Amino acid sequence: MGANWQKWTLITVGFLFFSAVLLFPLFTVFYYALEQGVMLFWQAIHEEEARAAIWLTLKVALIVLPINVFIGVVMAWTIAYFNFKGKSLITALLDLPFSISPVVVGLMFLLLFGLDGLWGAWLVEHNIRIMFATPSIVIVTLFVTFPLIAKSLLPSMTAQGNSEEQAALILGASGWTLFWRVTLPKIKWALIYGVILSNARAMGEFGAVSVVSGHIRGLTNTIPLYVEITYNEYQFVAAFACASLLAVLAIFTLGVQVLVRGVQERRIKRSLVRGVQE
């Protein structure tokens, strides 16, 4: 009886905490976005600047995601399957983007590529524009998101080992065949999970992008920056409408995460059951 009372007390406290900190604020965003009607909501989203911000956000995510997948798989493969000097250092460096403030990340690249930065004069001489343009947004987004896929893959790849890959190599499999036929099927669920996290972070990044974007209307404002600008200008319908899009993205990401995790857990259970039966 006492244990049961403690269990339900902890569950109630947890539910109240999540309701106050997460669910209620999330509901408030949707409430204010739709408060003045669906028509104004759609008009706000279809404004020229809003459409430009949405398109830029999607474009950056579409550029960053394939690069993150490639880098994440390569780094996870290297760390999980090979022993070499400096391995622990590289593993630790994967956490660096999580440790540095996004604002500091933006300042770092501003000091490198800005007009008065280390390479600023050279870039101006060769008519190459990085700062306050799409390239700078892509670069900082890559910096803050690239470890997510590798971190998602490493536990799975380390636990499963590389015995199957070694067997495939002995049988004469090429590198591409080895990856597509052996490694990818083993890591596909972890990879999907990492892709979801990376994409959500890329579309929602604010601090680093704010520093390097220049806040040029219709050109370098992503959805988070557009929300900040419209809110500061008292355009609350536009601000909450676009904020609700990010909230929908968060909910969708959570739903896919739960789905992927559930499928992965069921596959593990089935594998354990087959192992016991055999």
Side-chain angles (χ1 to χ4, degrees), residues 238-250:
F240 287 118
C242 286
S244 67
L245 291 180
L246 291 177
V248 168
L249 171 66

Side-chain angles (χ1 to χ4, degrees), residues 221-232:
N221 281 333
T222 58
I223 296 177
L225 302 185
Y226 179 76
V227 169
E228 182 200 30
I229 289 172
T230 51
Y231 184 83
N232 289 336

Side-chain angles (χ1 to χ4, degrees), residues 25-249:
L26 190 62
F27 170 79
T28 304
V29 169
F30 287 105
Y31 173 79
Y32 282 108
L34 298 169
E35 184 183 21
Q36 299 185 31
V38 177
M39 289 299 298
L40 286 178
F41 175 85
W42 284 112
Q43 289 176 9
I45 290 179
H46 284 82
E47 288 286 338
E48 183 177 353
E49 287 188 23
R51 285 188 285 110
I54 293 169
W55 166 239
L56 179 59
T57 303
L58 293 174
K59 182 169 67 173
V60 170
L62 289 173
I63 295 172
V64 166
L65 192 57
I67 300 174
N68 276 340
V69 170
F70 176 77
I71 294 176
V73 171
V74 169
M75 295 195 70
W77 184 306
T78 303
I79 294 172
Y81 292 163
F82 298 100
N83 291 317
F84 54 91
K85 291 183 178 180
K87 178 177 177 178
S88 58
L89 177 62
I90 293 178
T91 305
L93 288 176
L94 282 177
D95 292 323
L96 186 63
F98 303 137
S99 305
I100 301 177
S101 167
V103 175
V104 176
V105 172
L107 288 173
M108 284 164 40
F109 287 100
L110 189 62
L111 292 173
L112 286 175
F113 304 120
L115 186 60
D116 297 323
L118 185 62
W119 295 325
W122 184 88
L123 292 171
V124 171
E125 289 176 5
H126 292 80
N127 198 28
I128 300 174
R129 183 169 183 177
I130 294 180
M131 285 295 105
F132 310 137
T134 301
S136 63
I137 299 175
V138 171
I139 291 171
V140 298
T141 304
L142 270 174
F143 185 92
V144 300
T145 59
F146 84 85
L148 289 169
I149 292 180
K151 298 287 284 186
S152 298
L153 290 174
L154 273 172
S156 176
M157 296 178 75
T158 303
Q160 294 175 1
N162 64 346
S163 57
E164 295 179 17
E165 282 82 359
Q166 291 178 357
L169 285 174
I170 293 173
L171 293 174
S174 64
W176 281 110
T177 301
L178 178 68
F179 176 75
W180 288 107
R181 297 292 183 87
V182 180
T183 302
L184 186 59
K186 294 198 307 181
I187 66 171
K188 62 180 179 180
W189 294 112
L191 180 60
I192 293 172
Y193 189 77
V195 166
I196 294 167
L197 291 177
S198 178
N199 187 61
R201 177 67 190 275
M203 297 182 73
E205 177 56 35
F206 174 81
V209 172
S210 179
V211 175
V212 302
S213 70
H215 295 273
I216 304 173
R217 289 179 176 270
L219 292 177
T220 62
N221 281 333
T222 58
I223 296 177
L225 302 185
Y226 179 76
V227 169
E228 182 200 30
I229 289 172
T230 51
Y231 184 83
N232 289 336
E233 293 179 350
Y234 304 103
Q235 301 177 36
F236 297 124
V237 175
F240 287 118
C242 286
S244 67
L245 291 180
L246 291 177
V248 168
L249 171 66

